[in-house]
Amino acid sequence: MDKDKRIEELEKQNQQLTETIKQLQQKIEEQAEIIKLLNARIFGKKTEKLDKNQLSILSEDELTELNVNSDISLEESTEVKTKLRVVRHRKAKPHGQRAEFLDSLEQVDVIHKFELKLVLTVMKNLLRLAKNVFIEKLA
């Protein structure tokens, strides 16, 4: 009898587990579909769509004009595409302008005199720093 009860319990548990597995698989499929749609929305082709609220801004005449203009044949659209060309967005820098500017300036030679004591202290400090860096790299 104990074996029969145990078998029934295990069968019930097995059925419950198979039901939860089916539910989880269905949930995974739904989430995969959601991910697929979101990826398509984020990374897919984008086209500009007009909203009804956007159209209410335009008058009826402008709307009819838009509808008439949207009926362009393929030939006309290719003509428009061939007429378009890339335009440089910033001006090209002129060449040689800096050299001309520098040549026009007066050249003055300035000789700075340093005190010997100041130069020696700076050199000592630089040597001490270089020595410390060299020792740190060896360690």
Side-chain angles (χ1 to χ4, degrees), residues 39-91:
N39 279 338
R41 186 180 296 169
I42 293 171
F43 301 111
K45 287 187 174 181
K46 308 253 186 315
T47 58
E48 185 175 337
K49 297 178 183 175
L50 296 177
D51 197 10
K52 290 181 182 179
N53 296 332
Q54 290 176 328
L55 292 177
S56 65
I57 294 172
L58 302 175
S59 67
E60 291 181 23
D61 297 332
E62 292 171 332
L63 286 175
T64 55
E65 186 179 323
L66 282 175
N67 289 335
V68 170
N69 289 341
S70 65
D71 295 335
I72 298 174
S73 66
L74 289 175
E75 295 172 6
E76 292 176 6
S77 65
T78 54
E79 287 177 15
V80 171
K81 287 181 183 177
T82 56
K83 291 180 183 177
L84 294 177
R85 60 181 175 177
V86 177
V87 178
R88 189 178 180 118
H89 296 288
R90 62 181 175 99
K91 286 185 174 181

Short mmCIF file of all heavy atoms in Angstrom, two decimals, residues 39-91:
data_model
loop_
_atom_site.label_atom_id
_atom_site.label_comp_id
_atom_site.label_asym_id
_atom_site.label_seq_id
_atom_site.Cartn_x
_atom_site.Cartn_y
_atom_site.Cartn_z
N ASN A 39 13.43 44.39 -30.69
CA ASN A 39 14.64 44.52 -31.51
C ASN A 39 14.31 45.07 -32.88
O ASN A 39 15.05 45.90 -33.43
CB ASN A 39 15.35 43.17 -31.64
CG ASN A 39 16.19 42.85 -30.44
OD1 ASN A 39 16.60 43.74 -29.70
ND2 ASN A 39 16.45 41.58 -30.23
N ALA A 40 13.19 44.62 -33.45
CA ALA A 40 12.79 45.14 -34.75
C ALA A 40 12.45 46.62 -34.64
O ALA A 40 12.77 47.41 -35.53
CB ALA A 40 11.59 44.36 -35.28
N ARG A 41 11.82 47.01 -33.54
CA ARG A 41 11.46 48.41 -33.37
C ARG A 41 12.70 49.28 -33.16
O ARG A 41 12.81 50.37 -33.69
CB ARG A 41 10.53 48.57 -32.17
CG ARG A 41 10.02 49.99 -32.03
CD ARG A 41 9.09 50.15 -30.86
NE ARG A 41 7.89 49.35 -31.07
CZ ARG A 41 7.00 49.13 -30.13
NH1 ARG A 41 7.17 49.60 -28.93
NH2 ARG A 41 5.94 48.40 -30.37
N ILE A 42 13.66 48.76 -32.40
CA ILE A 42 14.87 49.55 -32.10
C ILE A 42 15.84 49.55 -33.28
O ILE A 42 16.33 50.59 -33.70
CB ILE A 42 15.57 49.00 -30.84
CG1 ILE A 42 14.70 49.23 -29.62
CG2 ILE A 42 16.92 49.67 -30.63
CD1 ILE A 42 15.20 48.55 -28.36
N PHE A 43 16.14 48.37 -33.83
CA PHE A 43 17.19 48.25 -34.82
C PHE A 43 16.67 48.09 -36.25
O PHE A 43 17.44 48.02 -37.18
CB PHE A 43 18.10 47.06 -34.50
CG PHE A 43 18.75 47.17 -33.15
CD1 PHE A 43 18.39 46.31 -32.12
CD2 PHE A 43 19.69 48.14 -32.90
CE1 PHE A 43 18.99 46.42 -30.88
CE2 PHE A 43 20.28 48.26 -31.67
CZ PHE A 43 19.93 47.39 -30.66
N GLY A 44 15.36 48.01 -36.43
CA GLY A 44 14.80 47.79 -37.75
C GLY A 44 14.79 49.05 -38.58
O GLY A 44 15.24 50.12 -38.16
N LYS A 45 14.25 48.93 -39.80
CA LYS A 45 14.16 50.08 -40.69
C LYS A 45 13.21 51.10 -40.08
O LYS A 45 12.19 50.76 -39.51
CB LYS A 45 13.65 49.67 -42.06
CG LYS A 45 14.65 48.92 -42.88
CD LYS A 45 14.11 48.71 -44.27
CE LYS A 45 15.16 48.08 -45.15
NZ LYS A 45 14.66 47.89 -46.51
N LYS A 46 13.57 52.34 -40.24
CA LYS A 46 12.75 53.42 -39.70
C LYS A 46 12.13 54.18 -40.87
O LYS A 46 12.78 54.54 -41.83
CB LYS A 46 13.61 54.38 -38.87
CG LYS A 46 14.46 53.70 -37.82
CD LYS A 46 13.92 53.95 -36.47
CE LYS A 46 14.76 53.45 -35.34
NZ LYS A 46 15.32 52.18 -35.39
N THR A 47 10.85 54.45 -40.76
CA THR A 47 10.18 55.30 -41.72
C THR A 47 9.42 56.35 -40.94
O THR A 47 8.88 56.09 -39.86
CB THR A 47 9.19 54.50 -42.60
OG1 THR A 47 8.24 53.87 -41.74
CG2 THR A 47 9.90 53.47 -43.44
N GLU A 48 9.37 57.52 -41.50
CA GLU A 48 8.67 58.60 -40.81
C GLU A 48 7.18 58.40 -41.01
O GLU A 48 6.69 58.25 -42.12
CB GLU A 48 9.11 59.95 -41.38
CG GLU A 48 8.51 61.11 -40.62
CD GLU A 48 9.05 62.43 -41.11
OE1 GLU A 48 10.15 62.45 -41.68
OE2 GLU A 48 8.34 63.42 -40.93
N LYS A 49 6.46 58.38 -39.92
CA LYS A 49 5.02 58.21 -39.98
C LYS A 49 4.37 59.44 -39.38
O LYS A 49 4.79 59.94 -38.35
CB LYS A 49 4.60 56.97 -39.21
CG LYS A 49 5.16 55.69 -39.80
CD LYS A 49 4.77 54.50 -38.99
CE LYS A 49 5.42 53.25 -39.57
NZ LYS A 49 5.15 52.07 -38.76
N LEU A 50 3.32 59.90 -40.03
CA LEU A 50 2.60 61.05 -39.53
C LEU A 50 1.52 60.59 -38.57
O LEU A 50 0.80 59.63 -38.83
CB LEU A 50 1.98 61.85 -40.67
CG LEU A 50 2.97 62.48 -41.65
CD1 LEU A 50 2.21 63.16 -42.77
CD2 LEU A 50 3.86 63.48 -40.94
N ASP A 51 1.41 61.30 -37.48
CA ASP A 51 0.40 61.00 -36.49
C ASP A 51 -0.84 61.82 -36.83
O ASP A 51 -0.76 62.85 -37.47
CB ASP A 51 0.95 61.39 -35.11
CG ASP A 51 0.16 60.75 -33.99
OD1 ASP A 51 -0.68 59.87 -34.28
OD2 ASP A 51 0.38 61.14 -32.83
N LYS A 52 -2.01 61.39 -36.38
CA LYS A 52 -3.23 62.15 -36.65
C LYS A 52 -3.14 63.54 -36.05
O LYS A 52 -3.64 64.50 -36.62
CB LYS A 52 -4.44 61.41 -36.09
CG LYS A 52 -4.77 60.15 -36.85
CD LYS A 52 -5.97 59.46 -36.27
CE LYS A 52 -6.24 58.17 -37.03
NZ LYS A 52 -7.39 57.46 -36.48
N ASN A 53 -2.50 63.66 -34.91
CA ASN A 53 -2.35 64.97 -34.28
C ASN A 53 -1.46 65.88 -35.11
O ASN A 53 -1.66 67.09 -35.15
CB ASN A 53 -1.77 64.82 -32.88
CG ASN A 53 -2.71 64.06 -31.96
OD1 ASN A 53 -3.92 64.09 -32.16
ND2 ASN A 53 -2.16 63.37 -30.98
N GLN A 54 -0.47 65.30 -35.77
CA GLN A 54 0.39 66.11 -36.63
C GLN A 54 -0.37 66.62 -37.84
O GLN A 54 -0.18 67.73 -38.29
CB GLN A 54 1.60 65.29 -37.08
CG GLN A 54 2.58 65.01 -35.98
CD GLN A 54 3.71 64.12 -36.46
OE1 GLN A 54 3.52 63.28 -37.32
NE2 GLN A 54 4.88 64.31 -35.88
N LEU A 55 -1.25 65.80 -38.39
CA LEU A 55 -1.99 66.20 -39.56
C LEU A 55 -2.99 67.31 -39.25
O LEU A 55 -3.33 68.11 -40.10
CB LEU A 55 -2.71 65.00 -40.17
CG LEU A 55 -1.81 63.94 -40.79
CD1 LEU A 55 -2.64 62.78 -41.29
CD2 LEU A 55 -1.02 64.53 -41.95
N SER A 56 -3.47 67.37 -38.02
CA SER A 56 -4.45 68.39 -37.67
C SER A 56 -3.84 69.80 -37.71
O SER A 56 -4.56 70.78 -37.80
CB SER A 56 -5.05 68.11 -36.29
OG SER A 56 -4.04 68.23 -35.31
N ILE A 57 -2.55 69.89 -37.69
CA ILE A 57 -1.88 71.19 -37.76
C ILE A 57 -2.04 71.79 -39.15
O ILE A 57 -2.21 72.99 -39.31
CB ILE A 57 -0.38 71.04 -37.41
CG1 ILE A 57 -0.23 70.62 -35.95
CG2 ILE A 57 0.37 72.32 -37.68
CD1 ILE A 57 1.17 70.27 -35.57
N LEU A 58 -2.05 70.95 -40.17
CA LEU A 58 -2.13 71.42 -41.54
C LEU A 58 -3.58 71.71 -41.92
O LEU A 58 -4.52 71.08 -41.44
CB LEU A 58 -1.56 70.37 -42.49
CG LEU A 58 -0.12 69.94 -42.23
CD1 LEU A 58 0.25 68.81 -43.16
CD2 LEU A 58 0.83 71.11 -42.41
N SER A 59 -3.76 72.65 -42.84
CA SER A 59 -5.10 72.93 -43.33
C SER A 59 -5.48 71.88 -44.37
O SER A 59 -4.65 71.10 -44.83
CB SER A 59 -5.15 74.33 -43.94
OG SER A 59 -4.35 74.37 -45.10
N GLU A 60 -6.75 71.89 -44.76
CA GLU A 60 -7.21 70.88 -45.72
C GLU A 60 -6.53 71.06 -47.07
O GLU A 60 -6.24 70.09 -47.76
CB GLU A 60 -8.73 70.99 -45.87
CG GLU A 60 -9.48 70.53 -44.65
CD GLU A 60 -10.99 70.61 -44.84
OE1 GLU A 60 -11.45 70.60 -46.00
OE2 GLU A 60 -11.68 70.68 -43.82
N ASP A 61 -6.28 72.33 -47.46
CA ASP A 61 -5.61 72.58 -48.74
C ASP A 61 -4.20 71.99 -48.74
O ASP A 61 -3.77 71.38 -49.73
CB ASP A 61 -5.53 74.08 -49.02
CG ASP A 61 -6.91 74.70 -49.17
OD1 ASP A 61 -7.83 73.97 -49.59
OD2 ASP A 61 -7.04 75.91 -48.88
N GLU A 62 -3.50 72.17 -47.63
CA GLU A 62 -2.14 71.62 -47.53
C GLU A 62 -2.16 70.10 -47.54
O GLU A 62 -1.29 69.45 -48.10
CB GLU A 62 -1.46 72.15 -46.27
CG GLU A 62 -1.16 73.63 -46.33
CD GLU A 62 -0.68 74.18 -45.00
OE1 GLU A 62 -1.06 73.62 -43.94
OE2 GLU A 62 0.07 75.16 -45.01
N LEU A 63 -3.19 69.51 -46.90
CA LEU A 63 -3.31 68.05 -46.90
C LEU A 63 -3.54 67.52 -48.31
O LEU A 63 -2.95 66.53 -48.72
CB LEU A 63 -4.44 67.61 -45.98
CG LEU A 63 -4.16 67.70 -44.49
CD1 LEU A 63 -5.42 67.36 -43.71
CD2 LEU A 63 -3.04 66.78 -44.10
N THR A 64 -4.41 68.18 -49.05
CA THR A 64 -4.66 67.72 -50.43
C THR A 64 -3.41 67.91 -51.28
O THR A 64 -3.11 67.08 -52.14
CB THR A 64 -5.85 68.49 -51.05
OG1 THR A 64 -5.60 69.90 -50.96
CG2 THR A 64 -7.15 68.14 -50.36
N GLU A 65 -2.68 68.99 -51.02
CA GLU A 65 -1.44 69.21 -51.76
C GLU A 65 -0.42 68.12 -51.45
O GLU A 65 0.27 67.62 -52.34
CB GLU A 65 -0.86 70.58 -51.40
CG GLU A 65 0.35 70.97 -52.22
CD GLU A 65 0.86 72.35 -51.84
OE1 GLU A 65 0.03 73.23 -51.54
OE2 GLU A 65 2.09 72.52 -51.83
N LEU A 66 -0.36 67.71 -50.17
CA LEU A 66 0.53 66.61 -49.80
C LEU A 66 0.12 65.32 -50.49
O LEU A 66 0.96 64.56 -50.96
CB LEU A 66 0.54 66.41 -48.29
CG LEU A 66 1.37 67.37 -47.47
CD1 LEU A 66 1.15 67.11 -45.98
CD2 LEU A 66 2.83 67.27 -47.80
N ASN A 67 -1.16 65.05 -50.55
CA ASN A 67 -1.63 63.84 -51.21
C ASN A 67 -1.33 63.87 -52.69
O ASN A 67 -0.96 62.86 -53.29
CB ASN A 67 -3.13 63.65 -50.97
CG ASN A 67 -3.43 63.27 -49.55
OD1 ASN A 67 -2.58 62.71 -48.87
ND2 ASN A 67 -4.63 63.57 -49.08
N VAL A 68 -1.46 65.03 -53.33
CA VAL A 68 -1.15 65.14 -54.75
C VAL A 68 0.34 64.95 -54.98
O VAL A 68 0.76 64.26 -55.90
CB VAL A 68 -1.62 66.52 -55.29
CG1 VAL A 68 -1.09 66.75 -56.68
CG2 VAL A 68 -3.14 66.60 -55.26
N ASN A 69 1.16 65.55 -54.13
CA ASN A 69 2.61 65.44 -54.29
C ASN A 69 3.10 64.03 -53.99
O ASN A 69 4.15 63.62 -54.47
CB ASN A 69 3.33 66.44 -53.38
CG ASN A 69 3.15 67.86 -53.86
OD1 ASN A 69 2.80 68.09 -55.01
ND2 ASN A 69 3.37 68.81 -52.98
N SER A 70 2.38 63.28 -53.18
CA SER A 70 2.82 61.93 -52.85
C SER A 70 2.57 60.96 -53.99
O SER A 70 3.06 59.85 -53.98
CB SER A 70 2.13 61.44 -51.58
OG SER A 70 0.75 61.31 -51.81
N ASP A 71 1.80 61.37 -55.00
CA ASP A 71 1.52 60.50 -56.14
C ASP A 71 2.57 60.66 -57.24
O ASP A 71 2.27 60.57 -58.42
CB ASP A 71 0.12 60.81 -56.70
CG ASP A 71 -0.97 60.47 -55.71
OD1 ASP A 71 -0.71 59.61 -54.86
OD2 ASP A 71 -2.07 61.06 -55.81
N ILE A 72 3.82 60.89 -56.88
CA ILE A 72 4.90 61.05 -57.85
C ILE A 72 5.24 59.69 -58.43
O ILE A 72 5.31 58.70 -57.73
CB ILE A 72 6.14 61.66 -57.17
CG1 ILE A 72 5.80 63.05 -56.64
CG2 ILE A 72 7.31 61.73 -58.13
CD1 ILE A 72 6.92 63.66 -55.82
N SER A 73 5.45 59.65 -59.74
CA SER A 73 5.81 58.39 -60.37
C SER A 73 7.26 58.04 -60.06
O SER A 73 8.03 58.86 -59.59
CB SER A 73 5.60 58.49 -61.89
OG SER A 73 6.52 59.41 -62.43
N LEU A 74 7.64 56.82 -60.36
CA LEU A 74 9.00 56.36 -60.09
C LEU A 74 10.02 57.13 -60.92
O LEU A 74 11.12 57.41 -60.47
CB LEU A 74 9.13 54.87 -60.38
CG LEU A 74 8.42 53.94 -59.38
CD1 LEU A 74 8.53 52.50 -59.86
CD2 LEU A 74 9.01 54.10 -58.00
N GLU A 75 9.67 57.48 -62.14
CA GLU A 75 10.60 58.21 -62.99
C GLU A 75 10.94 59.57 -62.40
O GLU A 75 12.10 59.98 -62.39
CB GLU A 75 10.00 58.38 -64.40
CG GLU A 75 9.81 57.08 -65.14
CD GLU A 75 9.04 57.27 -66.45
OE1 GLU A 75 8.78 58.43 -66.80
OE2 GLU A 75 8.72 56.26 -67.08
N GLU A 76 9.92 60.26 -61.91
CA GLU A 76 10.16 61.58 -61.32
C GLU A 76 11.01 61.47 -60.06
O GLU A 76 11.87 62.28 -59.81
CB GLU A 76 8.83 62.27 -61.00
CG GLU A 76 8.03 62.64 -62.23
CD GLU A 76 6.69 63.24 -61.87
OE1 GLU A 76 6.43 63.45 -60.68
OE2 GLU A 76 5.90 63.49 -62.80
N SER A 77 10.76 60.43 -59.28
CA SER A 77 11.54 60.28 -58.05
C SER A 77 13.00 59.97 -58.36
O SER A 77 13.90 60.42 -57.68
CB SER A 77 10.94 59.20 -57.16
OG SER A 77 11.04 57.95 -57.78
N THR A 78 13.26 59.20 -59.42
CA THR A 78 14.65 58.93 -59.78
C THR A 78 15.32 60.18 -60.32
O THR A 78 16.50 60.38 -60.10
CB THR A 78 14.75 57.80 -60.82
OG1 THR A 78 13.93 58.12 -61.93
CG2 THR A 78 14.32 56.47 -60.22
N GLU A 79 14.53 61.02 -61.01
CA GLU A 79 15.11 62.27 -61.49
C GLU A 79 15.54 63.14 -60.34
O GLU A 79 16.60 63.74 -60.35
CB GLU A 79 14.09 63.02 -62.36
CG GLU A 79 13.86 62.39 -63.72
CD GLU A 79 12.80 63.14 -64.49
OE1 GLU A 79 12.46 64.27 -64.11
OE2 GLU A 79 12.30 62.58 -65.48
N VAL A 80 14.72 63.19 -59.32
CA VAL A 80 15.04 64.01 -58.15
C VAL A 80 16.29 63.46 -57.47
O VAL A 80 17.17 64.20 -57.07
CB VAL A 80 13.84 64.04 -57.17
CG1 VAL A 80 14.25 64.69 -55.87
CG2 VAL A 80 12.67 64.76 -57.80
N LYS A 81 16.37 62.14 -57.39
CA LYS A 81 17.53 61.54 -56.73
C LYS A 81 18.82 61.81 -57.49
O LYS A 81 19.85 62.00 -56.90
CB LYS A 81 17.32 60.03 -56.55
CG LYS A 81 16.31 59.69 -55.49
CD LYS A 81 16.15 58.20 -55.35
CE LYS A 81 15.08 57.87 -54.33
NZ LYS A 81 14.85 56.44 -54.22
N THR A 82 18.75 61.83 -58.81
CA THR A 82 19.96 62.07 -59.58
C THR A 82 20.40 63.51 -59.49
O THR A 82 21.56 63.82 -59.67
CB THR A 82 19.76 61.67 -61.05
OG1 THR A 82 18.64 62.38 -61.57
CG2 THR A 82 19.55 60.18 -61.18
N LYS A 83 19.47 64.42 -59.23
CA LYS A 83 19.82 65.83 -59.13
C LYS A 83 20.49 66.16 -57.82
O LYS A 83 21.22 67.13 -57.72
CB LYS A 83 18.57 66.69 -59.30
CG LYS A 83 18.01 66.67 -60.71
CD LYS A 83 16.78 67.54 -60.80
CE LYS A 83 16.19 67.45 -62.19
NZ LYS A 83 14.94 68.22 -62.28
N LEU A 84 20.26 65.36 -56.79
CA LEU A 84 20.86 65.62 -55.48
C LEU A 84 22.35 65.30 -55.51
O LEU A 84 22.80 64.39 -56.18
CB LEU A 84 20.17 64.77 -54.40
CG LEU A 84 18.72 65.09 -54.13
CD1 LEU A 84 18.17 64.12 -53.09
CD2 LEU A 84 18.56 66.51 -53.64
N ARG A 85 23.10 66.07 -54.76
CA ARG A 85 24.54 65.82 -54.66
C ARG A 85 24.99 66.17 -53.25
O ARG A 85 24.33 66.91 -52.53
CB ARG A 85 25.31 66.61 -55.70
CG ARG A 85 25.12 68.09 -55.54
CD ARG A 85 25.85 68.87 -56.57
NE ARG A 85 25.50 70.28 -56.39
CZ ARG A 85 25.99 71.24 -57.07
NH1 ARG A 85 26.87 70.99 -58.01
NH2 ARG A 85 25.62 72.47 -56.86
N VAL A 86 26.13 65.66 -52.89
CA VAL A 86 26.67 65.89 -51.56
C VAL A 86 27.29 67.28 -51.52
O VAL A 86 28.08 67.65 -52.39
CB VAL A 86 27.72 64.82 -51.21
CG1 VAL A 86 28.34 65.11 -49.86
CG2 VAL A 86 27.09 63.45 -51.24
N VAL A 87 26.95 68.03 -50.50
CA VAL A 87 27.47 69.37 -50.33
C VAL A 87 28.39 69.36 -49.12
O VAL A 87 28.05 68.78 -48.08
CB VAL A 87 26.32 70.38 -50.12
CG1 VAL A 87 26.87 71.77 -49.91
CG2 VAL A 87 25.38 70.36 -51.30
N ARG A 88 29.54 70.00 -49.25
CA ARG A 88 30.47 70.06 -48.13
C ARG A 88 29.88 70.97 -47.07
O ARG A 88 29.45 72.07 -47.34
CB ARG A 88 31.82 70.59 -48.60
CG ARG A 88 32.88 70.47 -47.56
CD ARG A 88 34.21 70.97 -48.10
NE ARG A 88 35.18 70.85 -47.07
CZ ARG A 88 36.25 70.11 -47.15
NH1 ARG A 88 36.47 69.42 -48.24
NH2 ARG A 88 37.10 70.05 -46.17
N HIS A 89 29.84 70.49 -45.83
CA HIS A 89 29.18 71.23 -44.75
C HIS A 89 30.06 72.30 -44.13
O HIS A 89 29.57 73.18 -43.45
CB HIS A 89 28.70 70.26 -43.67
CG HIS A 89 27.65 69.33 -44.18
ND1 HIS A 89 26.37 69.73 -44.45
CD2 HIS A 89 27.69 68.01 -44.49
CE1 HIS A 89 25.67 68.72 -44.89
NE2 HIS A 89 26.44 67.67 -44.92
N ARG A 90 31.34 72.22 -44.30
CA ARG A 90 32.21 73.27 -43.75
C ARG A 90 33.18 73.70 -44.83
O ARG A 90 33.51 72.94 -45.74
CB ARG A 90 32.95 72.78 -42.51
CG ARG A 90 33.88 71.63 -42.75
CD ARG A 90 34.55 71.21 -41.43
NE ARG A 90 35.34 70.04 -41.64
CZ ARG A 90 36.65 70.04 -41.82
NH1 ARG A 90 37.32 71.15 -41.78
NH2 ARG A 90 37.31 68.92 -42.01
N LYS A 91 33.61 74.92 -44.70
CA LYS A 91 34.52 75.46 -45.71
C LYS A 91 35.89 74.79 -45.61
O LYS A 91 36.35 74.48 -44.52
CB LYS A 91 34.70 76.96 -45.51
CG LYS A 91 33.54 77.78 -45.92
CD LYS A 91 33.88 79.25 -45.80
CE LYS A 91 32.80 80.12 -46.34
NZ LYS A 91 33.15 81.54 -46.25
#
